[in-house]
Amino acid sequence: MTNTRKTIFILGCFILALTGLRLCWLFLSSPNKAQVIQGTADLREWDFSSNQTVLLNGEWEFFPYRFIMNPAEALSPNERGEALKVPGKWDAKMEEGNSTFGYGSYRLRIHVASDGERIYGIRIPLIPSSSELFVNGRLLAQAGQPGTEADRYSPGVVPYIGSFVSDRDEIEVVIQVANYDDLNGGGIYGRVQIGSDRAVHRASQISADLQMTVVLILAVHGIYSVLLYFMGLRERGLLYFFLLVLSGMATVLVDDDRLLLAVFSVNYEWMIKLRYLAYVGSAAFLLQFVRHLLTGRKLNKVIRIYLAICAVYAVSALFLPSEILTLTDGIHTLIILFSYLIVPVIAFRSFAQKNSNAIFILLGLTTLTLNLIWGLIRASGWLDMGYYPIDIIFVFICFASYWFKHYLHNSAQTAKLAERLIDEDRRKDQFLVRTSHELRNPLHGILNIAHTVIDSGHSPSEGENRENMKLLVTVGRRMSLLLNDLMDIARLKENRIRLQLANVQVQALVSGVLDMVRFTVEGKPIRLLNQVPDTFPPVVADENRLIQVLFNLLHNAAKFTNEGTIVVAASVREGQAFITVSDTGIGMNAETLRTAFDPYVQGESSSSGDVAEGIGLGLSICKQLVELHGSELTVESTPGQGSTFTFALPISEASGRRSETPGMKAADTVAMQETAATSTVTPAERNFGRLSDRAQILAVDDDPINLSVLERVLSSEDYDIVKTTSGSEALSLIAGREWDLIIADVMMPGMSGYQLSSAVRERFTLSEMPILLLTARSQPEDIEAGFRAGANDYLIKPVDGMELKSRVRALTDGRRSFRERVRMEGAWLQAQIQPHFLFNTLNSIAALSEIDTARMRNLLEVFGNYLRASFNPRNMERFVTLQQELELVRSYLYIEKERFEERLQVEWEVEEGIRLSIPPLSIQPLVENAVRHGVLKRAGGGKVRIRISDCGDYVEVEVEDDGVGMDEHAVRRALGIQGGRARGIGLRNTDRRLRQLYGQGLRIRSVPGRGTRISFFVMKSQR
């Protein structure tokens, strides 16, 4: 009702606006009128030099059945005719009574101020069906040939102008008219105008120009409609609109000033036929156009009959003579009125049904209706109006506006559909990639487990076989569930799934599903809780489909939960069983909630925006399966706190009457089964350091099954494998101990394999920490991205077990070789005693032999200790005791102290009772650097402080001097980081070895002119 009132209000305002516009037009263009009484008009006061015309409306003298300009019927001097109003019909004045057929003469005497040079003009309107204009007894112009009988006259209906010069003060105007064809009426029922010849021609030209403007505007609409149709927009409505435009153009060309005759030589017969055809065509094509645009329905019986009548009438009009055709005016009028009445109803109903674009059609039809009303007023003679072009122009502007709006709407829809198609195409590609990834991973696992069993060099025990088979079954079941999802989504679309309803025990079913999901949370600190009471009543459901729903919901929860709990609970409310699956995962924002149940849509696995693995069908299938059970799957979620999925199922009548559960005892309410998914990284493995001489491998994959398969494949080799399910966890493990190889999957949530490789390369070189990437992505750009991120090698799943072992062996052997090279480099560095240090020490011994033999003997003993420690084979081992390292440092400092005496001050801050194994030659190079490149670079020397502090789990070793210091560039050069070649390999070698063992190297803080402080940490648990 509100929409109807709104429509009426809009139409009312529009009608007022159109009416006001026409009234303004009438006021501005209204011509002057002469007082015509008893066949006489007085224009002596009129200024004929102006560009205006005068209407000769009023009482003309009429002589029925007489052509007074015929000498045989000439008037006597005082003879006067009957008064007849012009414009108006002569029917009442004819002798036969109300006859439209006949002939007669109109006379008017006009009094003017005489002017022999003035050129007058008289414009005669359309007069059915022939007429002649005489001025002062002279024939000026005519249309057709009037005659006293039908066979002696020829019709011709066209407006014309007669020009003349008169020096008289009275002008006699005679118009002889004959009509034997037009049944609508005879006589002059148009406006006769007089003025200067220029003013009359100007007024006539303005009228013709306005009509031609309308024709041209309609032609433009017709042209673009045809172009749009043939350019590919094959809309039938465009053809209807084009035919409507043609009909509208024809009505303008064959009415009013009959402009068609100015271009083509058309006789009266065909002019009448074209006029009838134009109006019938306008009515028929208007109905078709509006019906097609606003309803689009097939033709109903009434409209089919109407269109058939229009077609029959149009064909008949082509063959019937004009005098018979005019007899069908009643039918012609009914045909037009039917269309003009039914079309507004269609438009109004369409707009009332919230088709907002229909308002354009409704406004156009309103304009057309107003134009018809004003046309009737004009025909009745109530108002003198010339041609008014605004209505017809506005009608087609409204229609065109609708069409353009419709076209723009379709274009926008097409653009949206194109974007959607592009998005669907992209999603299809992603779906194929994800499906391939999800299928190749289980296949990779099955193949490698089988290869492991085949290639094992011994007969596997029953326990090993059972474990391998359990893993194969788990992997195969996962692939089966994935394939079932793919088939179910197609069945759901085609409504081919039929439920096998039965009574189902929810508690037992949930326990089984939790066992199925347990493998997916292996390696994550997640607890799976079954909080469905043992006494929970059975529900009516398809057991297999309910398992599918719960498995997908739990698998989704496990995928988006890094730690915490996943809970399945059930309760009875309002006679139904409500089952909820809740988690403490990352949750969903509003945008993700909106598309959560859309097929092939994957949510983000973390706040970083990474898209989770999977094919995006689980929740969509869950929703549709729950709806098949007559329920609804709902979700509530808060970002960072988790999600809760809920659906309801009917309680089985077989369960008997049960009251709702709020009052149940706690002991009966919850029969909790709990499964803890512990991390595969043990506390001992998290400790810093190396556990054995076996190659240490860190395996990173978000899928615990893939990690299990990888472990089984490499179990026959001499490796210690530590597994983790996230890149961030891997980084924390890397920082805590020495690794020989990282094997990482590329497609992981939170931190991808590429990001993990880049983070590792910020701290370790290719030789220091090899990385092997495993993934199902096989595009060249993916492989290139892996190497750019810092990977040493790249394998595409499914990987052959032998190839994997070979690649791993090559990388770990290379890492072992590099580690040994670094250790040998340190030992070699210490063995290469600088010649000047040796000579200077010997010189010092020689000098002391002459002045202080006791000091000489002490120096010789310390120098011997120094040489033994420098050449000790244990320097090639991975660790020595702290005491051994400090003995070498004390020997070195004693020698330097004897040489430089007061220039070198040494301060020791070593806590008592520290028992520690450290890498050999890790402190001595730092002390030597502090002495040689720090304090001794200053003329007055300086102090070196060695501090070893017990910090609980680790020991901090610090060497500090107050020497010349280093700027940042010098520090980076010393460590071999950018800036060109390092000055030596002492600090660089020590830094590398420390980073390999402990994940972090030397910490250097230095200020030029103030000194340098170098420290590192050693874990106490290191053996």
Side-chain angles (χ1 to χ4, degrees), residues 429-471:
D429 292 339
Q430 293 177 349
F431 168 73
L432 292 175
V433 171
R434 289 172 183 164
T435 304
S436 173
H437 181 76
E438 293 295 315
L439 290 175
R440 291 179 74 176
N441 275 345
L443 181 61
H444 158 76
I446 291 172
L447 291 175
N448 283 312
I449 292 172
H451 278 300
T452 300
V453 174
I454 293 172
D455 296 340
S456 60
H458 58 86
S459 298
S461 64
E462 182 180 350
E464 289 179 349
N465 277 335
R466 181 176 289 105
E467 288 300 317
N468 286 329
M469 292 304 103
K470 285 177 63 178
L471 190 56

Short mmCIF file of all heavy atoms in Angstrom, two decimals, residues 429-471:
data_model
loop_
_atom_site.label_atom_id
_atom_site.label_comp_id
_atom_site.label_asym_id
_atom_site.label_seq_id
_atom_site.Cartn_x
_atom_site.Cartn_y
_atom_site.Cartn_z
N ASP A 429 40.68 -22.93 -10.45
CA ASP A 429 42.11 -23.27 -10.52
C ASP A 429 42.65 -23.59 -9.14
O ASP A 429 43.41 -24.56 -8.96
CB ASP A 429 42.89 -22.10 -11.13
CG ASP A 429 42.56 -21.90 -12.61
OD1 ASP A 429 42.07 -22.87 -13.23
OD2 ASP A 429 42.79 -20.79 -13.13
N GLN A 430 42.26 -22.75 -8.15
CA GLN A 430 42.71 -23.01 -6.79
C GLN A 430 42.17 -24.35 -6.29
O GLN A 430 42.87 -25.11 -5.60
CB GLN A 430 42.26 -21.89 -5.85
CG GLN A 430 42.94 -20.56 -6.12
CD GLN A 430 42.42 -19.47 -5.22
OE1 GLN A 430 41.41 -19.65 -4.52
NE2 GLN A 430 43.06 -18.32 -5.23
N PHE A 431 40.91 -24.63 -6.65
CA PHE A 431 40.31 -25.89 -6.24
C PHE A 431 41.08 -27.08 -6.82
O PHE A 431 41.35 -28.06 -6.13
CB PHE A 431 38.85 -25.92 -6.70
CG PHE A 431 38.21 -27.28 -6.59
CD1 PHE A 431 37.88 -27.81 -5.36
CD2 PHE A 431 37.95 -28.03 -7.73
CE1 PHE A 431 37.30 -29.06 -5.26
CE2 PHE A 431 37.37 -29.27 -7.63
CZ PHE A 431 37.04 -29.79 -6.40
N LEU A 432 41.44 -26.96 -8.11
CA LEU A 432 42.19 -28.05 -8.73
C LEU A 432 43.55 -28.22 -8.07
O LEU A 432 44.01 -29.35 -7.82
CB LEU A 432 42.35 -27.78 -10.23
CG LEU A 432 41.07 -27.84 -11.07
CD1 LEU A 432 41.37 -27.45 -12.50
CD2 LEU A 432 40.46 -29.23 -11.01
N VAL A 433 44.21 -27.07 -7.77
CA VAL A 433 45.52 -27.15 -7.12
C VAL A 433 45.38 -27.78 -5.73
O VAL A 433 46.16 -28.66 -5.35
CB VAL A 433 46.16 -25.75 -7.03
CG1 VAL A 433 47.41 -25.79 -6.17
CG2 VAL A 433 46.51 -25.24 -8.43
N ARG A 434 44.37 -27.30 -4.98
CA ARG A 434 44.19 -27.82 -3.62
C ARG A 434 43.82 -29.30 -3.66
O ARG A 434 44.32 -30.10 -2.86
CB ARG A 434 43.11 -27.03 -2.90
CG ARG A 434 43.53 -25.62 -2.53
CD ARG A 434 42.34 -24.85 -2.00
NE ARG A 434 42.68 -23.46 -1.70
CZ ARG A 434 41.79 -22.51 -1.52
NH1 ARG A 434 40.51 -22.80 -1.63
NH2 ARG A 434 42.17 -21.29 -1.25
N THR A 435 42.91 -29.66 -4.59
CA THR A 435 42.51 -31.06 -4.68
C THR A 435 43.71 -31.93 -5.03
O THR A 435 43.91 -33.01 -4.46
CB THR A 435 41.41 -31.22 -5.74
OG1 THR A 435 40.31 -30.37 -5.42
CG2 THR A 435 40.92 -32.66 -5.78
N SER A 436 44.51 -31.45 -5.98
CA SER A 436 45.72 -32.18 -6.35
C SER A 436 46.64 -32.34 -5.15
O SER A 436 47.18 -33.42 -4.89
CB SER A 436 46.44 -31.45 -7.50
OG SER A 436 47.68 -32.04 -7.77
N HIS A 437 46.80 -31.24 -4.41
CA HIS A 437 47.67 -31.27 -3.23
C HIS A 437 47.13 -32.25 -2.19
O HIS A 437 47.88 -33.07 -1.63
CB HIS A 437 47.77 -29.87 -2.65
CG HIS A 437 48.64 -29.77 -1.44
ND1 HIS A 437 50.01 -29.79 -1.52
CD2 HIS A 437 48.33 -29.66 -0.12
CE1 HIS A 437 50.51 -29.69 -0.30
NE2 HIS A 437 49.51 -29.61 0.56
N GLU A 438 45.81 -32.16 -1.94
CA GLU A 438 45.21 -33.01 -0.92
C GLU A 438 45.24 -34.49 -1.32
O GLU A 438 45.31 -35.35 -0.45
CB GLU A 438 43.76 -32.56 -0.66
CG GLU A 438 43.64 -31.19 -0.02
CD GLU A 438 44.25 -31.17 1.38
OE1 GLU A 438 43.99 -32.09 2.15
OE2 GLU A 438 44.99 -30.22 1.68
N LEU A 439 45.15 -34.78 -2.61
CA LEU A 439 45.19 -36.17 -3.06
C LEU A 439 46.62 -36.70 -3.16
O LEU A 439 46.88 -37.87 -2.87
CB LEU A 439 44.50 -36.30 -4.42
CG LEU A 439 42.97 -36.12 -4.41
CD1 LEU A 439 42.43 -36.17 -5.83
CD2 LEU A 439 42.29 -37.19 -3.57
N ARG A 440 47.54 -35.83 -3.57
CA ARG A 440 48.92 -36.29 -3.73
C ARG A 440 49.59 -36.54 -2.39
O ARG A 440 50.45 -37.42 -2.28
CB ARG A 440 49.71 -35.26 -4.54
CG ARG A 440 49.28 -35.17 -5.98
CD ARG A 440 50.05 -34.14 -6.74
NE ARG A 440 51.40 -34.57 -7.04
CZ ARG A 440 52.26 -33.86 -7.77
NH1 ARG A 440 51.88 -32.71 -8.28
NH2 ARG A 440 53.47 -34.31 -8.01
N ASN A 441 49.22 -35.78 -1.38
CA ASN A 441 49.82 -36.01 -0.06
C ASN A 441 49.53 -37.41 0.47
O ASN A 441 50.44 -38.13 0.87
CB ASN A 441 49.35 -34.94 0.92
CG ASN A 441 50.19 -33.68 0.84
OD1 ASN A 441 51.27 -33.69 0.26
ND2 ASN A 441 49.71 -32.60 1.40
N PRO A 442 48.24 -37.83 0.52
CA PRO A 442 48.00 -39.22 0.96
C PRO A 442 48.65 -40.24 0.05
O PRO A 442 49.18 -41.25 0.52
CB PRO A 442 46.47 -39.33 0.93
CG PRO A 442 45.97 -37.94 1.02
CD PRO A 442 46.99 -37.10 0.33
N LEU A 443 48.61 -39.99 -1.26
CA LEU A 443 49.25 -40.92 -2.19
C LEU A 443 50.75 -41.01 -1.92
O LEU A 443 51.34 -42.09 -1.94
CB LEU A 443 48.98 -40.46 -3.63
CG LEU A 443 49.56 -41.32 -4.74
CD1 LEU A 443 48.98 -42.73 -4.68
CD2 LEU A 443 49.29 -40.68 -6.09
N HIS A 444 51.36 -39.85 -1.67
CA HIS A 444 52.78 -39.81 -1.32
C HIS A 444 53.05 -40.66 -0.09
O HIS A 444 54.01 -41.44 -0.02
CB HIS A 444 53.16 -38.34 -1.10
CG HIS A 444 54.38 -38.13 -0.26
ND1 HIS A 444 55.64 -38.33 -0.72
CD2 HIS A 444 54.50 -37.72 1.03
CE1 HIS A 444 56.51 -38.05 0.23
NE2 HIS A 444 55.84 -37.69 1.30
N GLY A 445 52.17 -40.54 0.92
CA GLY A 445 52.36 -41.31 2.14
C GLY A 445 52.21 -42.79 1.91
O GLY A 445 53.01 -43.60 2.40
N ILE A 446 51.20 -43.20 1.16
CA ILE A 446 50.97 -44.62 0.90
C ILE A 446 52.15 -45.23 0.17
O ILE A 446 52.65 -46.31 0.51
CB ILE A 446 49.66 -44.81 0.11
CG1 ILE A 446 48.45 -44.44 0.98
CG2 ILE A 446 49.54 -46.23 -0.41
CD1 ILE A 446 47.15 -44.40 0.24
N LEU A 447 52.61 -44.53 -0.88
CA LEU A 447 53.73 -45.06 -1.66
C LEU A 447 54.99 -45.21 -0.81
O LEU A 447 55.69 -46.23 -0.89
CB LEU A 447 54.00 -44.14 -2.85
CG LEU A 447 52.94 -44.12 -3.95
CD1 LEU A 447 53.29 -43.08 -5.00
CD2 LEU A 447 52.80 -45.49 -4.60
N ASN A 448 55.29 -44.22 -0.01
CA ASN A 448 56.53 -44.26 0.77
C ASN A 448 56.47 -45.28 1.90
O ASN A 448 57.49 -45.92 2.22
CB ASN A 448 56.86 -42.88 1.31
CG ASN A 448 57.43 -41.98 0.24
OD1 ASN A 448 58.33 -42.36 -0.50
ND2 ASN A 448 56.89 -40.78 0.14
N ILE A 449 55.28 -45.44 2.50
CA ILE A 449 55.17 -46.48 3.52
C ILE A 449 55.39 -47.85 2.89
O ILE A 449 56.09 -48.72 3.43
CB ILE A 449 53.79 -46.40 4.21
CG1 ILE A 449 53.70 -45.11 5.04
CG2 ILE A 449 53.57 -47.61 5.10
CD1 ILE A 449 52.32 -44.84 5.59
N ALA A 450 54.78 -48.03 1.71
CA ALA A 450 54.96 -49.31 1.02
C ALA A 450 56.42 -49.54 0.66
O ALA A 450 56.97 -50.64 0.84
CB ALA A 450 54.08 -49.35 -0.23
N HIS A 451 57.10 -48.51 0.15
CA HIS A 451 58.51 -48.64 -0.18
C HIS A 451 59.35 -48.95 1.06
O HIS A 451 60.33 -49.71 1.00
CB HIS A 451 59.02 -47.35 -0.84
CG HIS A 451 58.71 -47.28 -2.31
ND1 HIS A 451 59.17 -48.19 -3.23
CD2 HIS A 451 57.96 -46.38 -3.01
CE1 HIS A 451 58.74 -47.87 -4.43
NE2 HIS A 451 57.99 -46.78 -4.33
N THR A 452 58.99 -48.35 2.18
CA THR A 452 59.74 -48.59 3.41
C THR A 452 59.65 -50.05 3.82
O THR A 452 60.64 -50.67 4.22
CB THR A 452 59.19 -47.68 4.53
OG1 THR A 452 59.33 -46.31 4.13
CG2 THR A 452 59.96 -47.90 5.82
N VAL A 453 58.43 -50.60 3.72
CA VAL A 453 58.25 -52.01 4.07
C VAL A 453 59.03 -52.91 3.12
O VAL A 453 59.71 -53.86 3.52
CB VAL A 453 56.76 -52.37 4.06
CG1 VAL A 453 56.56 -53.87 4.28
CG2 VAL A 453 56.02 -51.57 5.13
N ILE A 454 58.97 -52.59 1.81
CA ILE A 454 59.65 -53.41 0.80
C ILE A 454 61.15 -53.33 0.95
O ILE A 454 61.88 -54.33 0.85
CB ILE A 454 59.20 -52.99 -0.61
CG1 ILE A 454 57.72 -53.32 -0.82
CG2 ILE A 454 60.05 -53.69 -1.68
CD1 ILE A 454 57.15 -52.78 -2.10
N ASP A 455 61.66 -52.10 1.18
CA ASP A 455 63.11 -51.89 1.17
C ASP A 455 63.79 -52.18 2.49
O ASP A 455 65.01 -52.05 2.61
CB ASP A 455 63.41 -50.43 0.76
CG ASP A 455 62.96 -50.14 -0.65
OD1 ASP A 455 62.78 -51.10 -1.42
OD2 ASP A 455 62.77 -48.94 -0.97
N SER A 456 63.00 -52.51 3.53
CA SER A 456 63.64 -52.76 4.83
C SER A 456 64.53 -53.99 4.72
O SER A 456 64.18 -55.00 4.11
CB SER A 456 62.57 -52.95 5.91
OG SER A 456 61.75 -54.06 5.58
N GLY A 457 65.69 -53.91 5.30
CA GLY A 457 66.67 -54.99 5.16
C GLY A 457 66.43 -56.15 6.09
O GLY A 457 67.21 -57.09 6.13
N HIS A 458 65.39 -56.12 6.89
CA HIS A 458 65.13 -57.21 7.83
C HIS A 458 63.65 -57.53 7.81
O HIS A 458 62.85 -56.75 7.30
CB HIS A 458 65.57 -56.82 9.25
CG HIS A 458 64.88 -55.58 9.74
ND1 HIS A 458 63.64 -55.61 10.35
CD2 HIS A 458 65.26 -54.27 9.67
CE1 HIS A 458 63.29 -54.38 10.66
NE2 HIS A 458 64.24 -53.55 10.26
N SER A 459 63.31 -58.63 8.36
CA SER A 459 61.90 -59.02 8.41
C SER A 459 61.21 -58.21 9.50
O SER A 459 61.60 -58.29 10.68
CB SER A 459 61.77 -60.52 8.73
OG SER A 459 62.38 -61.27 7.70
N PRO A 460 60.23 -57.42 9.13
CA PRO A 460 59.58 -56.58 10.14
C PRO A 460 58.79 -57.42 11.14
O PRO A 460 58.24 -58.47 10.79
CB PRO A 460 58.66 -55.70 9.31
CG PRO A 460 58.40 -56.46 8.06
CD PRO A 460 59.65 -57.25 7.80
N SER A 461 58.80 -56.96 12.37
CA SER A 461 58.06 -57.64 13.42
C SER A 461 56.56 -57.41 13.23
O SER A 461 56.14 -56.54 12.45
CB SER A 461 58.50 -57.13 14.79
OG SER A 461 58.16 -55.76 14.92
N GLU A 462 55.79 -58.17 13.95
CA GLU A 462 54.33 -58.02 13.85
C GLU A 462 53.89 -56.63 14.30
O GLU A 462 52.99 -56.03 13.72
CB GLU A 462 53.65 -59.09 14.70
CG GLU A 462 52.13 -59.04 14.62
CD GLU A 462 51.47 -60.12 15.46
OE1 GLU A 462 52.20 -61.01 15.95
OE2 GLU A 462 50.24 -60.07 15.61
N GLY A 463 54.59 -56.12 15.34
CA GLY A 463 54.24 -54.78 15.82
C GLY A 463 54.52 -53.71 14.78
O GLY A 463 53.72 -52.79 14.58
N GLU A 464 55.65 -53.82 14.10
CA GLU A 464 55.98 -52.84 13.06
C GLU A 464 54.98 -52.92 11.92
O GLU A 464 54.54 -51.91 11.37
CB GLU A 464 57.40 -53.09 12.55
CG GLU A 464 58.49 -52.72 13.55
CD GLU A 464 59.87 -53.01 13.00
OE1 GLU A 464 59.96 -53.68 11.95
OE2 GLU A 464 60.85 -52.57 13.61
N ASN A 465 54.64 -54.16 11.53
CA ASN A 465 53.66 -54.32 10.46
C ASN A 465 52.32 -53.70 10.85
O ASN A 465 51.65 -53.04 10.05
CB ASN A 465 53.46 -55.80 10.13
CG ASN A 465 54.52 -56.31 9.16
OD1 ASN A 465 55.09 -55.51 8.41
ND2 ASN A 465 54.79 -57.60 9.19
N ARG A 466 51.93 -53.91 12.11
CA ARG A 466 50.64 -53.37 12.55
C ARG A 466 50.65 -51.84 12.52
O ARG A 466 49.69 -51.21 12.08
CB ARG A 466 50.33 -53.86 13.97
CG ARG A 466 48.97 -53.36 14.48
CD ARG A 466 48.63 -53.92 15.83
NE ARG A 466 48.29 -55.36 15.75
CZ ARG A 466 49.08 -56.33 16.13
NH1 ARG A 466 50.27 -56.07 16.67
NH2 ARG A 466 48.72 -57.60 16.02
N GLU A 467 51.76 -51.27 12.96
CA GLU A 467 51.85 -49.81 12.94
C GLU A 467 51.82 -49.27 11.51
O GLU A 467 51.17 -48.27 11.21
CB GLU A 467 53.14 -49.36 13.65
CG GLU A 467 53.12 -49.53 15.15
CD GLU A 467 51.99 -48.74 15.79
OE1 GLU A 467 51.79 -47.57 15.38
OE2 GLU A 467 51.31 -49.28 16.67
N ASN A 468 52.56 -49.95 10.61
CA ASN A 468 52.56 -49.51 9.22
C ASN A 468 51.17 -49.62 8.59
O ASN A 468 50.72 -48.74 7.86
CB ASN A 468 53.57 -50.33 8.40
CG ASN A 468 55.00 -49.94 8.70
OD1 ASN A 468 55.28 -48.78 9.03
ND2 ASN A 468 55.93 -50.89 8.60
N MET A 469 50.49 -50.72 8.90
CA MET A 469 49.15 -50.91 8.33
C MET A 469 48.16 -49.90 8.91
O MET A 469 47.29 -49.39 8.21
CB MET A 469 48.66 -52.35 8.60
CG MET A 469 49.42 -53.42 7.83
SD MET A 469 49.43 -53.15 6.03
CE MET A 469 51.09 -52.50 5.78
N LYS A 470 48.30 -49.60 10.21
CA LYS A 470 47.42 -48.59 10.81
C LYS A 470 47.62 -47.24 10.14
O LYS A 470 46.66 -46.52 9.85
CB LYS A 470 47.70 -48.48 12.31
CG LYS A 470 47.14 -49.63 13.13
CD LYS A 470 47.50 -49.50 14.60
CE LYS A 470 46.89 -48.25 15.21
NZ LYS A 470 47.20 -48.14 16.64
N LEU A 471 48.87 -46.91 9.87
CA LEU A 471 49.15 -45.64 9.20
C LEU A 471 48.59 -45.65 7.77
O LEU A 471 48.03 -44.66 7.30
CB LEU A 471 50.65 -45.38 9.18
CG LEU A 471 51.10 -43.99 8.73
CD1 LEU A 471 50.44 -42.91 9.59
CD2 LEU A 471 52.61 -43.87 8.81
#
